[in-house]
Amino acid sequence: MHVAQIGFFVDPARRAPEALLRDWFPLVDIATAVGSVGERITVIQASTATGTITRGGATFHFVAPQAVGAPLTRSSAFRALLRELAPDVFHVHGLGFPNEVRELNELAPSTPILLQDHADRVPRFWRRSAWRSGAAVASGLSFCARAQAEPFRRARLLSSNVDIFEIPELTSSFTPGDRAAARAATGLHGDPALLWVANLIARKDPLTVLDGVSAAARALPNLRLWCCYATSPLLATVEARIARDPMLRDRVHLLGRVPREKVEELMRAADMFVLGSRSEGCSSALVEAMATGITPVVTDIPPSRAVTDNGTVGALWPCGDSQALGAALLRAAATVGPAARAQVRAHFDAQLSSSALGRKLTAAYAFLVEQRVSTRASAAVS
């Protein structure tokens, strides 16, 4: 089976293809996941700079739109590439490109289209007609958690018979490592040591996390929290919260922006990963943390339930409930150690690894292709 994964979003920073593959690493991870299970994989990415790169068994074509702001589907280079490739199935990244999806269907009406959610939101009312027309030509949609499709259904944007697949949005190449060596290399310490990797924004709810850590520290005097973040509009508020609480003042370490390779070492050194998100598409940091084997203690939202098998791995707590977080941290702290790390990593291997993601995506592709063949055969008979 030949799969064409398509990204219609044009990078506003106008990065070169090599830089895009470095910075948009999930694009590579998702493609190589499918290639890892033996399928032929081609990626077509809208880009201001053109070029072709082979990486991890996948071929990446960077194609420029015909004009600034024009849909990629109207590019003569894109159309010629589609005719040359003649893939068996299209996998489109994102739900926010209805015009492009509709035109893609017009260019290859016999080829099924899978749309993959990437933290997309229900569009505003004036965009819903166009959005609905794009979704109508898709054969299936993929969400990290099936429940994430419900807001779109309630808004009457999805037909009742469209196929919904529950597939992780991404995977990770992070691996477990020697905890002691990682602590020596990073300076991270604590018993337990908690790690936060998320922006300091309201949606991530760092203040509730600090309240929960403060509550847990009364029973865990050696607890430490280490925070990595890039965007930080709540930094002053977070610093003030830490400064006025003696249970946090010497326990919370604000690291700021950290290179991705250092994040992996910090995760290897930590005992638990904590997150207060009120909504997510699928937290890449959570998946990365589980790849290293540390215990997740994260909010009870649909994608986190899907990723942790309803909290079978790690602990879930209700959004905004600092007392519940404190209790969850105490429960998790009682179980951290080599056995817990092995359990988390085993779950990652079975459900979130590159090969697991590849198998799930390939099964969805095969189902849609077979469904399209069956539909065409039924139409021919009738």
Side-chain angles (χ1 to χ4, degrees):
M1 180 165 49
H2 182 192
V3 181
Q5 295 180 354
I6 303 177
F8 288 120
F9 179 73
V10 179
D11 174 32
R14 302 173 66 88
R15 280 167 286 194
E18 282 284 1
L20 279 180
L21 292 187
R22 181 193 65 235
D23 297 340
W24 292 1
F25 53 88
L27 187 70
V28 179
D29 291 345
I30 295 171
T32 55
V34 175
S36 72
V37 294
E39 304 297 345
R40 180 186 173 194
I41 177 72
T42 301
V43 179
I44 306 173
Q45 177 60 50
S47 174
T48 54
T50 61
T52 301
I53 297 173
T54 300
R55 182 74 53 83
T59 302
F60 296 80
H61 296 276
F62 295 86
V63 181
Q66 203 84 336
V68 175
L72 183 65
T73 44
R74 297 178 191 174
S75 160
S76 58
F78 176 83
R79 295 183 174 211
L81 186 57
L82 282 194
R83 290 192 296 270
E84 176 189 338
L85 295 174
D88 299 300
V89 61
F90 294 120
H91 171 162
V92 174
H93 289 292
L95 308 183
F97 304 94
N99 296 330
E100 289 88 338
V101 170
R102 190 175 59 253
E103 292 180 5
L104 179 65
N105 181 66
E106 292 170 357
L107 292 171
S110 64
T111 306
I113 301 172
L114 174 70
L115 305 183
Q116 184 181 19
D117 170 63
H118 288 300
D120 293 278
R121 297 184 179 182
V122 172
R124 297 187 181 277
F125 286 101
W126 56 86
R127 295 194 65 236
R128 292 188 181 182
S129 178
W131 199 102
R132 190 179 291 110
S133 69
V137 301
S139 301
L141 288 86
S142 166
F143 294 87
C144 179
R146 193 175 298 274
Q148 291 170 295
E150 291 311 306
F152 297 93
R153 288 197 186 280
R154 289 195 297 270
R156 299 183 178 180
L157 293 170
L158 299 179
S159 66
S160 58
N161 60 354
V162 68
D163 289 299
I164 302 296
F165 300 92
E166 187 172 270
I167 301 173
E169 187 181 334
L170 42 81
T171 183
S172 174
S173 59
F174 282 10
T175 59
D178 183 274
R179 177 176 174 269
R183 289 196 166 201
T186 61
L188 184 144
H189 59 275
D191 182 21
L194 314 182
L195 185 65
W196 159 288
V197 181
N199 291 325
L200 299 182
I201 58 177
R203 183 171 60 84
K204 302 291 186 177
D205 203 1
L207 297 178
T208 293
V209 170
L210 290 175
D211 289 344
V213 168
S214 178
R218 289 165 170 78
L220 298 169
N222 295 318
L223 178 152
R224 298 291 184 273
L225 171 64
W226 303 77
C227 301
C228 306
Y229 51 87
T231 303
S232 53
L234 294 181
L235 179 58
T237 305
V238 165
E239 290 175 330
R241 173 70 185 87
I242 294 168
R244 70 172 182 265
D245 188 342
M247 301 305 294
L248 297 176
R249 203 171 298 139
D250 297 322
R251 290 187 172 87
V252 180
H253 305 268
L254 301 176
L255 303 178
R257 185 185 294 272
V258 174
R260 188 163 176 259
E261 59 273 14
K262 186 176 178 182
V263 169
E264 182 177 24
E265 278 296 292
L266 289 168
M267 287 179 170
R268 290 170 173 172
D271 298 303
M272 290 184 269
F273 174 80
V274 63
L275 196 61
S277 298
R278 293 179 175 270
S279 66
E280 292 277 2
C282 178
S283 169
S284 59
L286 171 57
V287 173
E288 288 173 339
M290 295 179 71
T292 65
I294 61 175
T295 298
V297 183
V298 296
T299 40
D300 189 4
I301 57 177
S304 295
R305 287 198 293 271
V307 168
T308 65
D309 190 19
N310 291 311
T312 301
V313 178
L316 300 175
W317 54 281
C319 294
D321 190 337
S322 60
Q323 292 303 310
L325 169 57
L329 289 172
L330 294 182
R331 292 196 306 274
T335 64
V336 295
R341 286 177 179 267
Q343 180 196 14
V344 174
R345 178 63 200 199
H347 175 77
F348 174 87
D349 287 337
Q351 301 297 331
L352 304 169
S353 64
S354 181
S355 58
L357 176 59
R359 289 192 298 271
K360 292 176 182 182
L361 283 172
T362 299
Y365 301 150
F367 177 85
L368 296 180
V369 169
E370 179 59 33
Q371 186 181 61
R372 181 61 59 93
V373 170
S374 297
T375 300
R376 289 165 60 188
S378 298
V381 170
S382 61

